[in-house]
Amino acid sequence: MSVVQFNNVYKQFAGEYLLKDVNFTIEDKDKIGLVGLNGAGKSTLIKMLLGVERIDPDEQNNIGNINMSNLTKIGYLSQNHNFSNEMNSVYEEMMEVFIEEHKLWHEIQKINSFLAISDGGELEKNLDILSGLITKYESRNGYEIEYKIKQILTGLELDNYQNQIIKDLSGGEKTRVSLAKLLLQEPDLLVLDEPTNHLDLISIEWLEEYLKKYGKAFLLVSHDRIFLDNVCNKIYEIENKKLYKYDGNFSKFILQKEMILKGELKRYEKEQEKIKKMEEYIDRFRAGIKSRQAQGRQKILDRIERMDDPIFNPNRMRLKFEVSSSTGENVLKVRNVNKSFDEKDVLNNINFDLYKGERVGIIGKNGIGKSTLLKIIMNKIAKNSGEISVGSRVKIGYYDQDHSNLHEENTILQEINTSVNLTQEYLRTLAGGFLFSGEDVEKKIGKLSGGEKVRVSFLKLYMEKPNLLILDEPTNHLDIYSIEVLEDALEDYEGTLLVVSHNRHFLDSVCNVIYYLDEDGLKKFKGNYEEYKLSLKNSNNNEQIDEKEEKKVNYQEQKEMNRRVSKLKRDIDRLEQELDKLNKEKEELEKKYYEAGKSNNIEIILEIQEKISVIDDLEIKKLEEWENKSKELEEYWYILYITYLCVIYNL
């Protein structure tokens, strides 16, 4: 059953279309991830779904529509909190979800008090009323309310905040309370805009499990690839004003898009080749006995709707971190650092060394002091005790998630103009690489969005050329594609890295050391986040390490695996032969196409084009099959290799 249906929906801003011909349906158990570049229209689409933004007409002045039942209940987690009363405690705010159940409970209590003083017919009447109220209360799962509230508050690490007044909470804590309240409402369609912001890794993993079991539909915007992988069964992407639908999680979406891109690239290259040949023909016969045919070709050429280059994407940030000089081996030393706020200990006896080339990720629960530690290192706040020493020739570049190093009244140009030697032309070129073009550079910092401030901060870091990068939640406010750009830039970075992040894919991509921060201090692990989690699993269960990678395969399993590997190899060989055959057929057709072009036989040209198109489609299918089987074969090879090691070393 469909919950929401978008039909031919368009949206304009400043006379330009932001969204064109958007069509999709959300079914009652769909788990949809909405992705796209910042500014592509994700938030706008959500606002249209919520009825906040109107639908605009198309080029022919037709207006589409959004269909949903009047009974459909939509729950939306926005960045602006909508509490019943900020003077409520967290628990009281949770109970606001169950007002009707609360009223029923009071009625039950009231009738119970009457029973003690009732007799005869009045007693019987009150018992009947009580029975009806209890039945109604049970049908609304009233006796489960306390359990539900406790479960969700614990999962979002709010169980110690039950009695706290909402007004006194931080912005991140308020966001978690809003999320908790929304989950308790269990709407028909859950709409979540960056739900993992302000959640630590423990809460993110809890939310994943909750959403996996959620029995209704949800639509979420997230920059967390692993989160999208773990909870979504569909991915909707907004690109070039259109919405494209993909079945499967984020990883499957990437694979599908890759295959489509390969197909698009082939078609683009073919089209360019075709255009080139037609242009050569026109240039060759523009004058002479075939000038009329050349003019006809020119008309065909003019009518061709040319494809955009599928590789070129002007909306992606260009980022590279360079170092101005190299450091010594010892980059940073922290000894016995302690910090408290209002007599509450936040950091206790923190000790660690940071060495040249290390890429350290610091993780831990919200409020444990991760950002505080970075601020102490940067001398932004004072420590209570301890020593911090910075190595020789160390130049620190600091990224503050609050962007406190940016000046609100400066324009972008003023903010990045750090030297009188820098020309306006140079600064504008630099800003263009970070997606600030034209009049954008005259925007004041205070008027920028979160994502724009992130880009300005990165631009300043690029200009500083530090050899030690200290980054506090650098992926916040970035879309998935920009995070990939950041990951690539940090992978190529030749300096040392210290980062606080809750983005697991980011930690996996850029870190080779993980520090876990808790009440007792820092615990060091050599490896990325995935390896760290695996080590925890291993320590908790010595008998069963990782089912996929370390499980010993018995004889029958191994025999079956070998049989499957052999079949995959045969299939891959067959597909490669078929692809070679298709390629040869296409080459022959392209020769015929060229000859037909010489004789200006339009009928034959069109016929050959159709045949080439059929081959293209078949080629894409074969390539997709080849890709899938190759990937499967790699996985089997890996398992067999692990099995071999287990046998050799008697594991």
Side-chain angles (χ1 to χ4, degrees), residues 132-176:
L133 288 170
I134 289 174
T135 300
K136 194 172 180 180
Y137 190 69
E138 286 177 340
S139 71
R140 300 178 72 99
N141 298 317
Y143 293 108
E144 296 177 14
I145 289 171
E146 289 288 337
Y147 171 76
K148 283 182 178 178
I149 292 175
K150 185 178 179 181
Q151 180 198 28
I152 287 174
L153 291 182
T154 302
L156 295 174
E157 297 190 270
L158 290 166
D159 44 329
N160 295 326
Y161 292 79
Q162 290 192 55
N163 299 320
Q164 290 215 25
I165 304 301
I166 288 175
K167 181 176 70 68
D168 298 332
L169 299 177
S170 69
E173 289 162 350
K174 285 179 179 178
T175 299
R176 281 186 283 151

Side-chain angles (χ1 to χ4, degrees), residues 423 593 625 646:
T423 66
Y593 177 87
E625 190 181 351
C646 288

Side-chain angles (χ1 to χ4, degrees), residues 498-533:
L498 180 64
V499 59
V500 167
S501 179
H502 65 267
N503 188 305
R504 290 163 292 179
H505 189 273
F506 178 77
L507 291 167
D508 283 341
S509 298
V510 305
C511 295
N512 55 25
V513 176
I514 296 291
Y515 276 104
Y516 181 78
L517 178 62
D518 61 15
E519 291 81 359
D520 299 322
L522 282 168
K523 297 177 180 67
K524 185 176 182 179
F525 174 81
K526 288 188 176 182
N528 63 18
Y529 180 76
E530 187 180 3
E531 292 163 339
Y532 164 75
K533 289 292 289 184

Side-chain angles (χ1 to χ4, degrees), residues 242-267:
K242 298 270 191 176
L243 184 137
Y244 300 92
K245 293 163 280 190
Y246 301 85
D247 287 327
N249 61 13
F250 188 82
S251 291
K252 288 181 180 175
F253 151 72
I254 291 294
L255 182 61
Q256 291 174 72
K257 189 158 182 184
E258 216 171 86
M259 295 306 299
I260 291 168
L261 183 61
K262 286 178 182 176
E264 288 291 314
L265 185 60
K266 280 182 173 294
R267 282 195 283 274

Side-chain angles (χ1 to χ4, degrees), residues 420-477:
V420 292
N421 298 322
L422 301 176
T423 66
Q424 287 278 312
E425 184 181 359
Y426 173 74
L427 291 170
R428 285 180 176 273
T429 302
L430 269 182
F434 288 76
L435 309 184
F436 297 115
S437 57
E439 295 180 1
D440 288 346
V441 296
E442 302 297 340
K443 287 183 180 176
K444 288 198 172 184
I445 300 296
K447 300 293 183 182
L448 300 181
S449 68
E452 288 172 326
K453 286 180 179 178
V454 170
R455 285 187 276 134
V456 173
S457 293
F458 283 147
L459 176 49
K460 291 183 73 173
L461 283 179
Y462 165 80
M463 296 177 73
E464 290 170 11
K465 294 181 170 50
N467 48 31
L468 169 60
L469 277 173
I470 297 180
L471 310 178
D472 189 8
E473 298 288 4
T475 65
N476 285 354
H477 304 293

